[in-house]
Amino acid sequence: MRIAVIGGGISGLVAAFRLRMLLGPDADLLVLDRADRVGGILYTGELAGQPLDLGAEAFVGRRPEMPALLRALDLESQLVTPAGLRPLLWSTGVGHPLPEGTLMGIPANAESMRGLVDAATVQQIAAEPDRPLAWEPGSDIDVYSLVTERFGAQVAARSVDPLLGGVYAGSSRSIGVRAALPTLATALDNGAPSLTAAVGAALPPPSTAPVFGGIRDGYRALLDKLVARAAARFVTATPGTRLARGPRGWVVDPIGAVDAVVLATPAPVTARLLGAVAPVAAAALAGVELSSSVVVALALPRDTALPQNSGILVATGEPLRAKAFTLSSRKWTHLAQRETALVRVSFGKFGDDTTLSWPDADLITAAAEDLATVTGAAIEPTSAVVQRWPGGLAQYAPGHTVRIAAIEAEIVSLDGLAVAGAYLHGVGVPACIASGTAAAQRIAASVGAEVPG
Protein backbone atom coordinates (compact mmCIF):
# COMPACT_ATOMS: atom_id res chain seq x y z
CA MET A 1 0.00 0.00 0.00
CA ARG A 2 1.51 3.30 -1.13
CA ILE A 3 0.18 6.64 0.07
CA ALA A 4 1.43 10.11 -0.80
CA VAL A 5 1.15 13.16 1.43
CA ILE A 6 1.80 16.27 -0.62
CA GLY A 7 2.87 19.07 1.72
CA GLY A 8 5.06 18.69 4.79
CA GLY A 9 3.65 21.42 7.00
CA ILE A 10 2.03 20.60 10.32
CA SER A 11 -1.17 19.36 8.61
CA GLY A 12 0.75 17.00 6.35
CA LEU A 13 3.07 15.74 9.09
CA VAL A 14 0.14 15.00 11.40
CA ALA A 15 -1.62 13.21 8.54
CA ALA A 16 1.49 11.07 7.94
CA PHE A 17 1.87 10.27 11.64
CA ARG A 18 -1.80 9.36 12.04
CA LEU A 19 -1.67 7.21 8.90
CA ARG A 20 1.30 5.31 10.32
CA MET A 21 -0.63 4.68 13.54
CA LEU A 22 -3.72 3.54 11.62
CA LEU A 23 -2.05 1.48 8.89
CA GLY A 24 0.94 0.00 10.69
CA PRO A 25 4.58 -0.48 9.68
CA ASP A 26 4.00 -2.02 6.26
CA ALA A 27 2.37 1.01 4.64
CA ASP A 28 4.65 2.86 2.24
CA LEU A 29 4.18 6.55 3.13
CA LEU A 30 5.80 9.30 1.09
CA VAL A 31 5.79 12.96 2.11
CA LEU A 32 6.70 15.53 -0.54
CA ASP A 33 7.39 19.19 0.10
CA ARG A 34 8.52 21.92 -2.26
CA ALA A 35 10.71 23.50 0.45
CA ASP A 36 14.10 22.18 1.51
CA ARG A 37 12.71 21.30 4.94
CA VAL A 38 9.42 20.16 6.45
CA GLY A 39 7.32 22.14 8.91
CA GLY A 40 5.83 24.88 6.74
CA ILE A 41 5.30 28.04 8.80
CA LEU A 42 6.41 26.22 11.93
CA TYR A 43 10.12 26.88 12.06
CA THR A 44 12.54 27.00 14.95
CA GLY A 45 15.60 29.04 14.08
CA GLU A 46 18.39 30.30 16.30
CA LEU A 47 19.00 33.64 17.94
CA ALA A 48 21.91 34.38 20.26
CA GLY A 49 22.93 30.75 19.94
CA GLN A 50 19.66 29.27 21.21
CA PRO A 51 16.46 28.03 19.54
CA LEU A 52 13.58 30.42 18.96
CA ASP A 53 10.40 29.96 16.95
CA LEU A 54 10.38 32.31 13.96
CA GLY A 55 6.96 31.33 12.61
CA ALA A 56 4.00 30.48 14.80
CA GLU A 57 5.10 30.57 18.44
CA ALA A 58 1.92 29.76 20.37
CA PHE A 59 -1.34 27.87 20.01
CA VAL A 60 -4.80 28.08 21.53
CA GLY A 61 -4.44 26.04 24.69
CA ARG A 62 -8.15 25.52 25.31
CA ARG A 63 -8.54 23.33 22.24
CA PRO A 64 -7.77 19.64 22.85
CA GLU A 65 -5.78 18.79 19.72
CA MET A 66 -2.30 19.88 20.78
CA PRO A 67 -2.33 18.30 24.26
CA ALA A 68 -3.64 15.08 22.70
CA LEU A 69 -0.90 15.09 20.06
CA LEU A 70 1.81 15.78 22.62
CA ARG A 71 0.56 12.84 24.69
CA ALA A 72 0.58 10.58 21.64
CA LEU A 73 4.17 11.60 20.91
CA ASP A 74 5.37 11.38 24.54
CA LEU A 75 6.11 15.12 24.49
CA GLU A 76 3.87 16.25 27.34
CA SER A 77 6.87 17.66 29.21
CA GLN A 78 7.39 20.13 26.34
CA LEU A 79 4.09 21.91 26.99
CA VAL A 80 4.53 25.39 28.48
CA THR A 81 2.06 28.15 29.25
CA PRO A 82 2.53 31.92 29.22
CA ALA A 83 3.48 33.91 32.30
CA GLY A 84 0.02 35.48 32.45
CA LEU A 85 0.86 39.03 31.40
CA ARG A 86 -1.55 40.83 29.06
CA PRO A 87 -0.67 42.69 25.86
CA LEU A 88 -1.01 46.39 25.16
CA LEU A 89 -2.77 48.05 22.25
CA TRP A 90 -0.75 50.86 20.66
CA SER A 91 -3.19 53.52 19.45
CA THR A 92 -2.92 57.30 18.98
CA GLY A 93 0.71 57.05 20.04
CA VAL A 94 -0.07 55.53 23.45
CA GLY A 95 -0.13 52.04 24.92
CA HIS A 96 -3.56 50.99 26.22
CA PRO A 97 -4.38 47.87 28.25
CA LEU A 98 -6.06 45.23 26.11
CA PRO A 99 -9.79 45.56 26.89
CA GLU A 100 -11.32 42.65 28.74
CA GLY A 101 -14.56 40.96 27.79
CA THR A 102 -14.24 41.36 24.03
CA LEU A 103 -14.58 38.85 21.21
CA MET A 104 -11.59 39.34 18.90
CA GLY A 105 -11.65 42.96 20.03
CA ILE A 106 -15.42 43.44 19.57
CA PRO A 107 -16.83 44.74 22.86
CA ALA A 108 -19.74 43.37 24.85
CA ASN A 109 -20.12 46.70 26.66
CA ALA A 110 -19.13 50.31 26.14
CA GLU A 111 -17.04 50.68 29.30
CA SER A 112 -14.43 48.21 28.05
CA MET A 113 -13.58 50.67 25.26
CA ARG A 114 -13.30 53.78 27.43
CA GLY A 115 -9.88 55.39 27.00
CA LEU A 116 -9.17 53.45 23.79
CA VAL A 117 -11.83 55.24 21.69
CA ASP A 118 -13.29 58.74 21.97
CA ALA A 119 -16.33 59.71 24.03
CA ALA A 120 -18.65 59.81 21.01
CA THR A 121 -17.73 56.21 20.14
CA VAL A 122 -18.28 55.07 23.72
CA GLN A 123 -21.73 56.65 23.54
CA GLN A 124 -22.43 54.95 20.20
CA ILE A 125 -21.52 51.56 21.68
CA ALA A 126 -23.68 52.18 24.74
CA ALA A 127 -26.68 53.11 22.56
CA GLU A 128 -26.25 50.24 20.10
CA PRO A 129 -28.74 47.88 21.80
CA ASP A 130 -31.48 50.47 21.21
CA ARG A 131 -30.99 50.45 17.43
CA PRO A 132 -32.73 47.82 15.28
CA LEU A 133 -30.35 45.20 13.89
CA ALA A 134 -30.84 43.81 10.39
CA TRP A 135 -29.19 40.41 10.02
CA GLU A 136 -30.21 37.71 7.58
CA PRO A 137 -29.55 34.25 9.09
CA GLY A 138 -26.87 32.45 7.11
CA SER A 139 -25.49 35.65 5.61
CA ASP A 140 -21.90 36.83 5.83
CA ILE A 141 -20.12 40.17 5.64
CA ASP A 142 -16.67 41.44 6.47
CA VAL A 143 -16.02 42.17 10.13
CA TYR A 144 -15.28 45.83 9.41
CA SER A 145 -18.69 46.51 7.91
CA LEU A 146 -20.51 44.95 10.86
CA VAL A 147 -18.40 46.58 13.57
CA THR A 148 -18.25 50.06 12.07
CA GLU A 149 -21.98 50.20 11.35
CA ARG A 150 -22.86 49.24 14.91
CA PHE A 151 -19.95 50.55 17.01
CA GLY A 152 -17.95 52.94 14.82
CA ALA A 153 -14.73 52.91 12.84
CA GLN A 154 -12.51 53.51 15.87
CA VAL A 155 -13.49 50.15 17.38
CA ALA A 156 -12.50 48.38 14.17
CA ALA A 157 -9.19 50.21 13.78
CA ARG A 158 -8.07 50.33 17.39
CA SER A 159 -9.47 47.12 18.93
CA VAL A 160 -10.45 44.60 16.26
CA ASP A 161 -7.78 45.08 13.59
CA PRO A 162 -4.81 44.51 15.94
CA LEU A 163 -6.20 41.15 17.03
CA LEU A 164 -7.25 39.97 13.58
CA GLY A 165 -3.85 41.07 12.28
CA GLY A 166 -2.17 38.79 14.78
CA VAL A 167 -4.23 35.76 13.79
CA TYR A 168 -4.64 36.15 10.03
CA ALA A 169 -2.10 38.83 9.04
CA GLY A 170 -5.20 40.56 7.69
CA SER A 171 -7.68 43.13 8.90
CA SER A 172 -11.36 43.50 9.63
CA ARG A 173 -11.84 44.55 6.00
CA SER A 174 -10.45 41.27 4.62
CA ILE A 175 -11.95 38.80 7.11
CA GLY A 176 -15.53 37.50 7.14
CA VAL A 177 -17.66 37.19 10.26
CA ARG A 178 -18.87 33.63 9.71
CA ALA A 179 -15.52 31.88 9.33
CA ALA A 180 -13.43 33.94 11.76
CA LEU A 181 -16.10 34.44 14.45
CA PRO A 182 -18.42 31.44 14.17
CA THR A 183 -19.93 31.82 17.63
CA LEU A 184 -20.84 35.42 16.82
CA ALA A 185 -22.44 34.39 13.53
CA THR A 186 -24.43 31.73 15.38
CA ALA A 187 -25.66 34.25 17.94
CA LEU A 188 -26.73 36.60 15.14
CA ASP A 189 -28.44 33.74 13.27
CA ASN A 190 -30.29 32.84 16.47
CA GLY A 191 -31.89 36.27 16.59
CA ALA A 192 -29.68 38.37 18.86
CA PRO A 193 -31.39 41.78 18.97
CA SER A 194 -28.11 43.72 18.83
CA LEU A 195 -24.41 43.24 18.22
CA THR A 196 -23.85 43.90 21.93
CA ALA A 197 -26.16 40.99 22.79
CA ALA A 198 -24.60 38.77 20.14
CA VAL A 199 -21.09 39.35 21.47
CA GLY A 200 -22.26 38.65 25.00
CA ALA A 201 -23.79 35.35 23.87
CA ALA A 202 -20.73 34.41 21.82
CA LEU A 203 -18.10 35.00 24.50
CA PRO A 204 -16.64 31.79 25.94
CA PRO A 205 -17.53 31.05 29.56
CA PRO A 206 -15.07 32.35 32.16
CA SER A 207 -12.13 30.03 32.72
CA THR A 208 -8.91 30.05 34.67
CA ALA A 209 -7.22 27.76 32.14
CA PRO A 210 -4.42 29.37 30.12
CA VAL A 211 -5.64 30.69 26.78
CA PHE A 212 -2.41 29.83 24.98
CA GLY A 213 0.34 27.23 25.10
CA GLY A 214 3.76 26.76 23.58
CA ILE A 215 6.57 24.24 23.10
CA ARG A 216 9.53 24.61 25.47
CA ASP A 217 12.24 23.81 22.95
CA GLY A 218 10.35 25.32 20.01
CA TYR A 219 8.22 23.65 17.38
CA ARG A 220 11.32 21.86 16.13
CA ALA A 221 10.85 19.35 18.97
CA LEU A 222 7.33 18.55 17.75
CA LEU A 223 8.29 18.42 14.08
CA ASP A 224 11.27 16.14 14.71
CA LYS A 225 9.13 13.70 16.68
CA LEU A 226 6.38 13.69 14.05
CA VAL A 227 8.96 12.93 11.36
CA ALA A 228 10.45 10.10 13.40
CA ARG A 229 7.13 8.53 14.38
CA ALA A 230 5.63 8.82 10.89
CA ALA A 231 8.51 6.69 9.58
CA ALA A 232 7.76 7.94 6.09
CA ARG A 233 10.02 8.61 3.15
CA PHE A 234 10.51 12.38 3.05
CA VAL A 235 11.30 14.01 -0.27
CA THR A 236 12.04 17.72 0.12
CA ALA A 237 12.72 20.40 -2.49
CA THR A 238 10.27 18.44 -4.65
CA PRO A 239 6.81 19.85 -5.34
CA GLY A 240 3.91 17.72 -6.45
CA THR A 241 3.30 18.88 -10.02
CA ARG A 242 0.31 16.86 -11.25
CA LEU A 243 -2.51 14.76 -9.83
CA ALA A 244 -4.51 12.37 -12.01
CA ARG A 245 -6.61 9.24 -11.77
CA GLY A 246 -4.58 6.07 -12.20
CA PRO A 247 -5.33 2.40 -12.85
CA ARG A 248 -5.12 1.49 -9.17
CA GLY A 249 -5.82 4.81 -7.53
CA TRP A 250 -3.93 7.99 -8.26
CA VAL A 251 -0.87 9.22 -10.09
CA VAL A 252 1.20 11.99 -8.53
CA ASP A 253 4.03 13.52 -10.48
CA PRO A 254 6.91 13.15 -9.92
CA ILE A 255 6.53 10.01 -7.75
CA GLY A 256 4.13 7.92 -9.83
CA ALA A 257 1.25 5.64 -8.88
CA VAL A 258 -0.16 5.59 -5.34
CA ASP A 259 -3.21 4.09 -3.70
CA ALA A 260 -4.28 7.31 -1.97
CA VAL A 261 -3.29 10.95 -1.63
CA VAL A 262 -3.48 13.63 1.04
CA LEU A 263 -3.15 17.15 -0.34
CA ALA A 264 -1.81 19.25 2.54
CA THR A 265 -0.68 22.14 0.39
CA PRO A 266 -1.62 25.85 0.43
CA ALA A 267 -4.89 26.74 -1.28
CA PRO A 268 -3.39 27.97 -4.60
CA VAL A 269 -1.24 24.84 -4.93
CA THR A 270 -4.16 22.58 -4.05
CA ALA A 271 -6.29 24.39 -6.65
CA ARG A 272 -3.73 23.68 -9.34
CA LEU A 273 -3.39 20.00 -8.40
CA LEU A 274 -7.15 19.48 -8.34
CA GLY A 275 -7.84 21.27 -11.62
CA ALA A 276 -8.27 18.11 -13.71
CA VAL A 277 -9.95 15.87 -11.12
CA ALA A 278 -12.11 18.21 -9.01
CA PRO A 279 -12.82 21.37 -11.04
CA VAL A 280 -15.48 22.76 -8.68
CA ALA A 281 -13.17 22.41 -5.68
CA ALA A 282 -10.28 23.87 -7.68
CA ALA A 283 -12.31 26.93 -8.64
CA ALA A 284 -13.36 27.48 -5.03
CA LEU A 285 -9.78 27.10 -3.82
CA ALA A 286 -8.57 29.62 -6.36
CA GLY A 287 -10.67 32.22 -4.53
CA VAL A 288 -8.75 31.79 -1.26
CA GLU A 289 -6.21 34.60 -1.06
CA LEU A 290 -3.02 34.57 1.00
CA SER A 291 -1.27 37.12 3.17
CA SER A 292 2.47 37.52 3.64
CA SER A 293 4.44 38.58 6.68
CA VAL A 294 7.94 38.99 8.07
CA VAL A 295 9.24 38.20 11.58
CA VAL A 296 12.29 40.01 12.91
CA ALA A 297 13.62 38.51 16.13
CA LEU A 298 15.84 40.71 18.29
CA ALA A 299 18.18 39.74 21.12
CA LEU A 300 18.66 42.63 23.54
CA PRO A 301 20.66 43.17 26.72
CA ARG A 302 18.90 41.37 29.53
CA ASP A 303 18.28 44.61 31.46
CA THR A 304 16.50 46.39 28.58
CA ALA A 305 13.53 48.26 30.08
CA LEU A 306 10.73 46.39 28.36
CA PRO A 307 7.20 46.84 29.77
CA GLN A 308 5.63 44.14 31.91
CA ASN A 309 3.37 42.95 29.12
CA SER A 310 3.28 39.93 26.84
CA GLY A 311 3.31 42.06 23.71
CA ILE A 312 2.12 45.18 21.93
CA LEU A 313 -0.46 45.12 19.13
CA VAL A 314 -0.58 48.10 16.78
CA ALA A 315 -3.85 49.76 15.72
CA THR A 316 -4.58 50.53 12.09
CA GLY A 317 -3.39 53.96 10.99
CA GLU A 318 -0.46 54.31 13.37
CA PRO A 319 2.77 55.75 11.89
CA LEU A 320 4.73 52.58 12.60
CA ARG A 321 6.05 50.03 10.15
CA ALA A 322 5.60 47.03 12.48
CA LYS A 323 2.15 45.59 13.17
CA ALA A 324 2.92 43.78 16.42
CA PHE A 325 5.61 43.04 19.01
CA THR A 326 5.86 39.85 21.04
CA LEU A 327 7.88 40.49 24.19
CA SER A 328 8.99 36.87 24.31
CA SER A 329 11.04 37.15 27.49
CA ARG A 330 8.03 38.61 29.27
CA LYS A 331 5.48 36.27 27.72
CA TRP A 332 7.26 32.96 28.40
CA THR A 333 8.94 32.14 31.71
CA HIS A 334 11.30 29.62 30.13
CA LEU A 335 12.60 32.31 27.73
CA ALA A 336 12.96 34.80 30.59
CA GLN A 337 15.72 32.58 31.98
CA ARG A 338 18.03 33.26 29.03
CA GLU A 339 20.93 35.68 29.14
CA THR A 340 19.36 38.04 26.60
CA ALA A 341 15.93 39.64 26.33
CA LEU A 342 14.03 38.37 23.28
CA VAL A 343 11.50 40.27 21.17
CA ARG A 344 9.72 39.25 17.97
CA VAL A 345 8.62 42.10 15.69
CA SER A 346 6.03 41.34 12.98
CA PHE A 347 5.53 43.16 9.68
CA GLY A 348 3.06 42.80 6.84
CA LYS A 349 -0.69 42.55 6.34
CA PHE A 350 -2.99 41.37 3.60
CA GLY A 351 -2.66 43.52 0.50
CA ASP A 352 0.76 44.90 1.39
CA ASP A 353 3.73 42.65 0.67
CA THR A 354 6.29 45.46 0.45
CA THR A 355 8.19 44.46 3.57
CA LEU A 356 9.08 41.12 1.95
CA SER A 357 11.44 42.98 -0.38
CA TRP A 358 13.13 45.11 2.24
CA PRO A 359 16.79 44.22 2.92
CA ASP A 360 17.40 42.48 6.24
CA ALA A 361 19.31 45.48 7.57
CA ASP A 362 16.36 47.80 6.89
CA LEU A 363 13.93 45.42 8.58
CA ILE A 364 16.13 45.11 11.64
CA THR A 365 16.50 48.90 11.85
CA ALA A 366 12.74 49.40 11.51
CA ALA A 367 12.07 46.76 14.16
CA ALA A 368 14.47 48.38 16.64
CA GLU A 369 13.21 51.91 15.98
CA ASP A 370 9.54 50.97 16.25
CA LEU A 371 10.20 48.95 19.40
CA ALA A 372 11.93 51.97 20.93
CA THR A 373 8.89 54.08 20.05
CA VAL A 374 6.33 51.82 21.72
CA THR A 375 8.42 50.97 24.80
CA GLY A 376 10.29 54.21 25.40
CA ALA A 377 13.37 52.07 26.03
CA ALA A 378 16.82 52.29 24.45
CA ILE A 379 16.85 49.39 21.98
CA GLU A 380 20.33 48.12 21.13
CA PRO A 381 20.14 44.65 19.57
CA THR A 382 23.06 42.35 20.21
CA SER A 383 21.91 40.05 17.41
CA ALA A 384 18.94 39.69 15.12
CA VAL A 385 17.43 37.31 12.57
CA VAL A 386 14.88 37.87 9.79
CA GLN A 387 12.36 35.30 8.58
CA ARG A 388 10.05 36.00 5.61
CA TRP A 389 6.74 34.19 5.14
CA PRO A 390 5.44 34.82 1.60
CA GLY A 391 1.85 33.62 1.27
CA GLY A 392 1.96 32.26 4.79
CA LEU A 393 -1.66 32.69 5.90
CA ALA A 394 -5.02 32.13 4.21
CA GLN A 395 -7.56 34.95 4.38
CA TYR A 396 -10.97 33.90 5.64
CA ALA A 397 -12.95 36.34 3.51
CA PRO A 398 -16.74 36.70 3.55
CA GLY A 399 -18.26 33.56 2.04
CA HIS A 400 -15.33 31.39 3.16
CA THR A 401 -17.51 28.74 4.79
CA VAL A 402 -19.56 28.37 1.59
CA ARG A 403 -16.37 28.05 -0.41
CA ILE A 404 -15.01 25.33 1.89
CA ALA A 405 -18.32 23.45 1.84
CA ALA A 406 -18.14 23.36 -1.98
CA ILE A 407 -14.59 22.02 -1.82
CA GLU A 408 -15.41 19.28 0.66
CA ALA A 409 -18.62 18.30 -1.16
CA GLU A 410 -16.67 17.43 -4.30
CA ILE A 411 -13.72 15.82 -2.50
CA VAL A 412 -15.99 13.45 -0.56
CA SER A 413 -16.96 11.77 -3.84
CA LEU A 414 -13.34 11.03 -4.76
CA ASP A 415 -12.23 7.82 -3.08
CA GLY A 416 -8.67 7.78 -1.82
CA LEU A 417 -8.26 11.58 -1.82
CA ALA A 418 -8.28 13.95 1.15
CA VAL A 419 -7.38 17.58 1.70
CA ALA A 420 -5.92 19.22 4.78
CA GLY A 421 -4.56 22.61 5.67
CA ALA A 422 -4.94 25.99 7.30
CA TYR A 423 -7.35 27.27 4.66
CA LEU A 424 -10.11 24.85 5.74
CA HIS A 425 -11.40 25.26 9.29
CA GLY A 426 -8.87 27.43 11.10
CA VAL A 427 -5.38 28.85 10.63
CA GLY A 428 -4.11 27.94 14.10
CA VAL A 429 -1.97 24.91 14.86
CA PRO A 430 -4.75 22.99 16.69
CA ALA A 431 -7.07 23.42 13.70
CA CYS A 432 -4.31 22.16 11.39
CA ILE A 433 -3.78 19.14 13.65
CA ALA A 434 -7.51 18.41 13.44
CA SER A 435 -7.38 18.81 9.67
CA GLY A 436 -4.46 16.41 9.26
CA THR A 437 -6.06 13.88 11.59
CA ALA A 438 -9.37 13.96 9.69
CA ALA A 439 -7.55 13.52 6.38
CA ALA A 440 -5.65 10.49 7.71
CA GLN A 441 -8.85 8.90 9.00
CA ARG A 442 -10.57 9.40 5.65
CA ILE A 443 -7.68 7.83 3.75
CA ALA A 444 -7.33 4.93 6.19
CA ALA A 445 -11.03 4.15 5.86
CA SER A 446 -10.78 4.32 2.05
CA VAL A 447 -8.09 1.62 2.00
CA GLY A 448 -10.00 -0.64 4.38
CA ALA A 449 -8.31 0.09 7.68
CA GLU A 450 -10.27 0.12 10.90
CA VAL A 451 -10.66 3.71 12.08
CA PRO A 452 -11.68 4.41 15.70
CA GLY A 453 -15.08 6.08 15.99
Side-chain angles (χ1 to χ4, degrees):
M1 184 185 306
R2 193 172 191 234
I3 298 173
V5 177
I6 312 302
I10 183 63
S11 301
L13 292 180
V14 168
F17 164 64
R18 297 296 190 192
L19 282 166
R20 178 61 68 201
M21 298 301 101
L22 291 166
L23 302 180
D26 294 334
D28 182 12
L29 304 181
L30 295 93
V31 178
L32 273 70
D33 198 280
R34 61 184 177 179
D36 58 4
R37 62 169 185 85
V38 297
I41 62 170
L42 301 187
Y43 173 59
T44 307
E46 287 196 359
L47 180 63
Q50 296 195 67
L52 184 70
D53 282 320
L54 300 177
E57 54 96 37
F59 54 84
V60 177
R62 293 176 181 174
R63 287 191 58 150
E65 291 88 354
M66 180 62 88
L69 181 62
L70 293 176
R71 285 194 299 272
L73 295 170
D74 300 318
L75 287 176
E76 288 177 282
S77 63
Q78 284 284 336
L79 178 64
V80 292
T81 55
L85 301 177
R86 291 178 62 79
L88 294 173
L89 291 179
W90 184 261
S91 177
T92 62
V94 178
H96 302 264
L98 183 73
E100 297 188 5
T102 70
L103 184 70
M104 196 63 76
I106 307 175
N109 63 78
E111 286 304 309
S112 66
M113 293 287 107
R114 191 174 297 279
L116 180 60
V117 299
D118 63 24
T121 300
V122 172
Q123 185 176 1
Q124 180 178 347
I125 300 167
E128 190 269 340
D130 299 326
R131 295 169 50 211
L133 172 66
W135 177 267
E136 183 69 28
S139 64
D140 197 11
I141 60 174
D142 61 272
V143 176
Y144 180 85
S145 295
L146 176 65
V147 171
T148 55
E149 197 279 325
R150 303 303 296 183
F151 291 155
Q154 288 185 10
V155 175
R158 300 180 185 182
S159 184
V160 180
D161 277 354
L163 291 164
L164 285 176
V167 176
Y168 296 98
S171 74
S172 58
R173 296 175 186 268
S174 66
I175 303 298
V177 171
R178 191 160 295 277
L181 300 166
T183 58
L184 180 63
T186 297
L188 292 167
D189 289 347
N190 290 341
S194 65
L195 181 56
T196 299
V199 173
L203 284 170
S207 172
T208 58
V211 176
F212 298 107
I215 306 296
R216 181 181 302 279
D217 294 331
Y219 274 113
R220 180 189 299 166
L222 173 64
L223 300 175
D224 288 349
K225 185 59 75 80
L226 282 170
V227 166
R229 293 285 294 274
R233 289 189 285 153
F234 289 87
V235 184
T236 55
T238 306
T241 56
R242 186 179 72 97
L243 176 67
R245 289 282 201 177
R248 70 171 196 179
W250 298 90
V251 175
V252 177
D253 289 345
I255 62 174
V258 295
D259 296 288
V261 182
V262 174
L263 297 181
T265 43
V269 177
T270 309
R272 177 172 51 78
L273 291 172
L274 288 177
V277 298
V280 173
L285 279 159
V288 178
E289 297 186 274
L290 305 180
S291 181
S292 301
S293 61
V294 179
V295 173
V296 178
L298 304 176
L300 308 171
R302 186 182 176 90
D303 60 356
T304 301
L306 299 174
Q308 292 295 324
N309 298 94
S310 61
I312 304 166
L313 306 175
V314 179
T316 295
E318 293 298 303
L320 295 174
R321 292 147 294 186
K323 68 173 183 179
F325 308 83
T326 302
L327 307 180
S328 302
S329 297
R330 300 283 193 243
K331 183 174 181 178
W332 303 103
T333 55
H334 67 288
L335 295 181
Q337 299 169 11
R338 297 191 180 178
E339 295 181 359
T340 57
L342 303 173
V343 177
R344 289 167 31 118
V345 185
S346 300
F347 297 83
K349 282 189 177 182
F350 177 67
D352 182 7
D353 294 343
T354 56
T355 51
L356 287 177
S357 63
W358 290 9
D360 285 5
D362 291 354
L363 284 163
I364 293 167
T365 296
E369 290 176 351
D370 284 0
L371 182 60
T373 296
V374 299
T375 63
I379 302 301
E380 300 174 352
T382 56
S383 59
V385 62
V386 175
Q387 179 65 46
R388 292 170 177 81
W389 297 110
L393 283 173
Q395 295 297 288
Y396 280 36
H400 187 79
T401 56
V402 174
R403 182 176 291 114
I404 298 308
I407 295 165
E408 295 180 330
E410 188 171 27
I411 294 299
V412 76
S413 66
L414 300 174
D415 195 43
L417 178 66
V419 294
Y423 63 85
L424 287 167
H425 300 289
V427 298
V429 175
C432 291
I433 293 171
S435 174
T437 298
Q441 291 173 339
R442 170 173 164 77
I443 293 302
S446 76
V447 298
E450 184 176 343
V451 178

